[in-house]
């Protein structure tokens, strides 16, 4: 029985280590950031958030492609206007020939065509980027931008990028082991913790049932040889049950520590940008002394 239990524990550890190794890819971050699948919401309509992806052999080339794609998708290639202007003149001339007066009219017409491109500004702010590199060495890059509407001056948000989640992960993992890790984007780790706790808890229940079964068998027989055999098996099941309970408790504690201490997927905290005006002016205090009065408006 001990051999089977030890084999099950070894298999669980191998699955955990193997799954973790498989999940490791050559990327800029261990956990994919949240903004890849959920864009932040702008606090005002003067701009928007947008992701652009590109692949190239170098990271700098991929960044240039992303910026070019962002500009092309914003409509800056449009708006070229052709303007045509026509200027014509008429000239009358009189000529005496053989005693007769003849008139000659000369027309001069010129058409000028020019192109006009009105300068349109696009305000762009780079927020974050995430890249992966395949075995051939090519990069696949995704960038997050904040961009204005064409011809408007945006009021970009104050952004904070963080991998911390505070107590959000702790209370979730306290209720269901692994839930906090799922919330932080560590799906592999959360799945392993949840599966490990479920496996250990189920094993503890099964082993305790086997222990109770042999305890009942001991009470039903007076054969000393059977009693000794049943008692040995009962003690083995009890020891294995206690190991499962201890391992489940240790995994649960690790789950809580990891939920609050380990970094999660990089997330964006959006804060409104405020315009602050202040002014200072000399004044006379109540006791007749000179002082400065300040006004702060935000």
């Amino acid at each position: 029985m001990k051999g089977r239990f030890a084999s099950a524990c070894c298999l669980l550890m191998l699955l955990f280590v193997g799954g973790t190794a498989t999940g490791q890819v050559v990327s800029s971050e261990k956990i994919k950031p949240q903004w890849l699948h959920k864009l932040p919401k702008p606090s005002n309509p003067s701009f928007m958030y947008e992701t652009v992806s590109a692949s190239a052999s170098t990271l700098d080339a991929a960044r240039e492609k992303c910026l070019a794609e962002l500009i092309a998708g914003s409509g800056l290639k449009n708006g070229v206007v052709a303007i045509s202007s026509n200027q014509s003149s008429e000239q009358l001339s009189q000529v005496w020939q053989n005693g007769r007066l003849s008139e000659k009219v000369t027309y001069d017409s010129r058409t000028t065509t020019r192109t006009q491109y009105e300068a349109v500004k696009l305000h762009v702010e780079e927020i974050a980027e995430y890249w992966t590199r395949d075995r051939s060495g090519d990069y696949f890059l995704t960038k997050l931008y904040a961009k204005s509407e064409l011809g408007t001056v945006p009021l970009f948000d104050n952004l904070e990028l963080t991998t911390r989640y505070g107590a959000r992960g702790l209370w979730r993992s306290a209720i269901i082991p692994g839930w906090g890790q799922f919330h932080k984007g560590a799906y592999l780790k959360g799945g392993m913790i949840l599966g490990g706790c479920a496996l250990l808890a189920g094993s503890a229940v099964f082993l305790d049932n086997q222990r109770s079964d042999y305890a009942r068998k001991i009470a039903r027989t007076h054969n000393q040889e059977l009693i000794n055999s049943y008692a040995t098996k009962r003690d083995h099941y009890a020891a294995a049950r206690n190991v499962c309970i201890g391992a489940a408790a240790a995994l649960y504690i690790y789950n809580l520590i990891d939920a609050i201490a380990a970094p999660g997927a990089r997330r964006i905290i959006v804060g409104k940008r405020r315009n602050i005006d202040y002014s200072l002016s000399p004044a006379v205090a109540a006791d007749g002394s000179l002082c400065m009065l300040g006004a702060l408006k935000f």
Side-chain angles (χ1 to χ4, degrees), residues 5 200-201 204 238-254:
F5 176 72
L200 290 171
R241 177 206 60 189
N242 294 337
V243 171
C244 285
I245 293 175
L251 184 57
Y252 180 77
I253 294 174
Y254 166 79

Side-chain angles (χ1 to χ4, degrees), residues 213-233:
D213 184 56
Y214 280 103
R216 286 191 296 268
K217 289 181 179 180
I218 292 174
R220 294 173 184 172
T221 184
H222 298 285
N223 188 322
Q224 190 60 41
E225 185 177 352
L226 288 177
I227 290 175
N228 293 337
S229 176
Y230 292 156
T232 300
K233 293 181 179 180

Side-chain angles (χ1 to χ4, degrees), residues 175-198:
I175 298 175
I176 301 177
W179 186 13
Q181 285 75 15
F182 280 112
H183 176 69
K184 294 164 63 174
Y187 300 108
L188 177 62
K189 186 187 296 183
M192 297 304 298
I193 290 176
L194 179 60
C197 286

Side-chain angles (χ1 to χ4, degrees), residues 5 203-205 207-208 211 236-246:
F5 176 72
S203 299
V205 172
L207 293 171
D208 187 65
R211 181 202 61 81
H236 287 171
Y237 278 112
R241 177 206 60 189
N242 294 337
V243 171
C244 285
I245 293 175

Side-chain angles (χ1 to χ4, degrees), residues 12 14 75-76 127 160 173 192-193 199 205 245 254 265 284:
L12 179 62
L14 288 174
L76 289 183
I127 307 300
E160 178 185 355
S173 288
M192 297 304 298
I193 290 176
L199 178 61
V205 172
I245 293 175
Y254 166 79
V284 180

